[in-house]
């Protein structure tokens, strides 16, 4: 499972660029801070490498292998 | 579901103050991961820092910490380590904090080889004060105080640490998170001075002033310009121009200051 804490997300989109499997996309809904957070597009592509957990500067992504 | 780093951080203070996409957050994650994997006794960990964006890191950790004066974090860290050598002391600093105002403290902490782990956020610029040129700003790159491009020779902090006598020296970037975790673990375990430089993206100043389109373009530039030391060894100076050499540069055993000073004190104690 991939969890995104939308309220911590600052919409830098590092996750979108650096996920090797292109799992993330931009949400269509604003968060409370007024930015479009990242969201999971297709988890089935995820290899659970967890690079997104380390590279999200705002501790917004948590990955748990099913 | 809780992020692994939150166990170490002051949750009530998040989101942190750093700009969107700033590399400092990645360095916080990698430090937490290293602490997790080492299973450190958190009551025996002290963080120190000087002044700068990077120096705000300890304030977010739910650990004992000292946010000190610009360039002087290593002087405070030395005091902590000598007073209580049992403690694990980690110092967060910036390229200006270490290379400019704190240059002398840095050289002599390396020379003494005191058991402190330094994590230096090298964003090539003074972030906190608005983008002034720093001792590590690459040649020709723009800063507010170098509007026509930097004409000075940049300082290689890792080479300086090596020459001055540090036990462990490595450089990675925020695009090398797994390697960085490994180096932070090694640095903490090393009995002696460990210097880990992390080239990090500051889009707000370095990126915008140098006409990078966005934060991602800057981070990609950092990644694509990195060359591992094993490959760089066989390349000419010309080929390495503008490249970021990453890897482990030094890993050696030497006598350590806090241990030596306590040995000396024990030897000369009148009442044993
Ligand atoms: C004695 C002293 N001189 C100057 C300053 C102003 N000052 C604050 S932070 C800073 C430089 C920050 O650059 P760096 O160490 O690279 O950290 P960054 O903000 O980029 O992480 C300066 C010059 C100060 N706080 N104290
Ligand atoms: S890396 Fe983190 S802060 Fe940046 S867009 Fe992704 S979830 Fe948001
Ligand atoms: S764990 Fe790896 S593959 Fe899965 S979303 Fe994160 S970066 Fe992408
Ligand atoms: S000014 Fe630069 S270094 Fe400071 S928080 Fe913003 S991006 Fe990071």
């Amino acid at each position: 499972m991939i969890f995104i804490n939308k309220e911590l997300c600052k919409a830098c989109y590092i996750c979108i660029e650096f996920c090797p499997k292109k799992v993330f996309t931009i949400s269509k809904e604003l968060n409370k801070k007024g930015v479009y957070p990242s969201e999971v597009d297709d988890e089935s592509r995820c290899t659970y490498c967890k690079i997104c957990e380390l590279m999200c500067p705002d501790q917004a992504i948590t990955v748990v292998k099913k | 579901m809780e992020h692994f780093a939150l166990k170490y951080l002051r949750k009530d203070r998040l989101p942190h103050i750093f700009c969107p996409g700033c590399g400092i957050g990645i360095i916080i994650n990698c430090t937490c991961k290293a602490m997790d994997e080492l299973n450190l006794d958190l009551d025996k960990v002290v963080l120190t820092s000087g002044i700068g964006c990077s120096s705000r890191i300890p304030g977010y950790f739910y650990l004992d910490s000292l946010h000190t004066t610009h360039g002087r974090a290593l002087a405070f860290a030395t005091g902590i380590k000598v007073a209580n050598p049992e403690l694990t002391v980690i110092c967060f600093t910036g390229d200006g904090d270490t290379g400019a105002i704190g240059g002398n403290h840095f050289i002599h902490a390396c020379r003494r080889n005191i058991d402190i782990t330094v994590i230096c956020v090298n964003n090539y610029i003074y972030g906190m004060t608005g983008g002034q040129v720093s001792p590590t700003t690459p040649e020709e790159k723009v800063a507010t105080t170098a509007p026509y491009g930097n004409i000075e020779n940049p300082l290689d902090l890792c080479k300086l640490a090596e020459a001055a006598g540090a036990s462990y020296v490595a450089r990675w970037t925020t695009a090398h998170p797994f390697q960085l975790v490994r180096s932070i673990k090694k640095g903490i375990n090393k009995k002696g001075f460990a210097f880990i430089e992390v080239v990090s993206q500051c889009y707000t100043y370095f990126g915008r002033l140098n006409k990078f389109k966005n934060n991602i373009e800057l981070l990609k530039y950092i990644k694509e310009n990195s060359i591992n030391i094993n490959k760089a060894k066989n390349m000419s100076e010309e080929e390495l121009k503008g490249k970021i050499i990453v890897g482990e540069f030094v890993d050696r055993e030497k006598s350590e200051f806090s241990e030596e000073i306590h040995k000396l004190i024990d030897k000369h104690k009148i009442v044993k």
Side-chain angles (χ1 to χ4, degrees):
Chain A
M1 284 290 286
I2 306 166
F3 300 90
I4 301 184
N5 182 338
K6 296 202 172 193
E7 299 314 320
L8 284 180
C9 175
K10 289 181 188 156
C12 70
Y13 306 135
I14 287 178
C15 52
I16 296 182
E17 180 64 33
F18 283 84
C19 164
K21 299 295 170 187
K22 301 284 170 234
V23 166
F24 301 101
T25 187
I26 302 176
S27 166
K28 291 191 174 57
E29 273 168 52
L30 292 170
N31 68 6
K32 284 191 194 132
K33 292 270 184 325
V35 297
Y36 291 99
S38 170
E39 70 178 17
V40 175
D41 182 27
D42 182 1
E43 190 177 328
S44 68
R45 288 196 289 264
C46 177
T47 57
Y48 304 99
C49 69
K50 298 196 175 192
I51 200 161
C52 54
E53 254 189 15
L54 283 174
M55 283 189 80
C56 166
D58 283 276
Q59 296 76 41
I61 306 176
T62 304
V63 178
V64 182
K65 196 167 177 174
K66 270 187 254 182
Chain B
M1 242 319 123
E2 196 170 86
H3 189 272
F4 69 87
L6 298 191
K7 181 173 144 199
Y8 300 91
L9 303 178
R10 294 180 193 269
K11 286 186 256 185
D12 54 322
R13 301 202 55 207
L14 300 178
H16 50 57
I17 197 174
F18 308 117
C19 306
C22 173
I24 292 175
I26 302 177
I27 296 166
I28 291 178
N29 290 340
C30 293
T31 307
C32 293
K33 186 58 109 188
M35 287 178 170
D36 234 21
E37 291 181 6
L38 288 175
N39 209 2
L40 290 181
D41 177 357
L42 298 180
D43 284 337
K44 295 213 162 74
V45 180
V46 183
L47 310 181
T48 69
S49 66
I51 299 291
C53 294
S54 39
S55 287
R56 296 198 62 150
I57 294 175
Y60 290 102
F61 274 82
Y62 201 59
L63 291 173
D64 289 331
S65 61
L66 267 188
H67 189 181
T68 76
T69 52
H70 195 24
R72 271 67 174 142
L74 281 171
F76 292 85
T78 299
I80 295 166
K81 187 70 192 177
V82 170
N84 190 350
E86 261 197 10
L87 298 176
T88 297
V89 185
I90 305 172
C91 177
F92 291 95
T93 178
D95 43 301
D97 202 50
T98 307
I101 192 166
N104 241 323
H105 290 286
F106 177 49
I107 291 171
H108 295 286
C110 294
R111 179 180 62 80
R112 282 169 158 172
N113 196 37
I114 183 157
D115 186 12
I116 294 167
T117 303
V118 176
I119 301 173
C120 177
V121 181
N122 182 4
N123 53 16
Y124 294 138
I125 210 152
Y126 289 3
M128 175 161 274
T129 45
Q132 293 82 359
V133 77
S134 111
T136 62
T137 307
E139 271 172 280
E140 294 167 22
K141 289 287 184 244
V142 173
T144 50
T145 48
Y148 304 105
N150 181 28
I151 54 164
E152 297 179 20
N153 296 308
L155 185 57
D156 185 330
L157 294 169
C158 287
K159 280 193 177 151
L160 183 59
E162 175 174 2
S167 263
Y168 182 79
V169 181
R171 179 190 293 117
W172 295 108
T173 79
T174 44
H176 297 88
F178 295 115
Q179 294 91 327
L180 178 58
V181 171
R182 204 177 55 222
S183 273
I184 296 175
K185 281 165 69 181
K186 269 195 159 173
I188 292 173
N189 277 338
K190 175 61 78 179
K191 194 176 168 70
F193 195 83
F195 181 70
I196 301 154
E197 178 187 330
V198 195
V199 175
S200 174
Q201 72 278 19
C202 165
Y203 178 68
T204 302
Y205 290 107
F206 186 79
R208 289 193 303 174
L209 285 164
N210 286 289
K211 307 272 183 273
F212 285 90
K213 221 166 61 202
N214 54 38
N215 160 73
I216 304 284
E217 292 305 311
L218 175 57
L219 185 51
K220 272 166 65 181
Y221 166 86
I222 289 174
K223 185 178 181 184
E224 283 155 19
N225 274 282
S226 299
I227 292 197
N228 195 284
I229 176 73
N230 296 325
K231 193 165 167 208
K233 263 192 261 176
N234 306 317
M235 290 168 71
S236 68
E237 213 169 295
E238 195 56 33
E239 289 172 306
L240 288 173
K241 209 169 179 284
K243 300 288 182 215
I244 305 164
I245 303 178
V246 296
E248 278 184 356
F249 306 120
V250 179
D251 187 357
R252 57 189 167 191
E253 305 303 325
K254 295 175 69 179
S255 69
E256 188 275 325
F257 183 73
S258 68
E259 187 178 68
E260 292 302 318
I261 199 166
H262 282 279
K263 272 195 214 155
L264 194 72
I265 292 169
D266 287 343
K267 193 169 157 196
H268 294 280
K269 254 185 197 159
I270 297 169
V271 187
K272 296 242 178 190

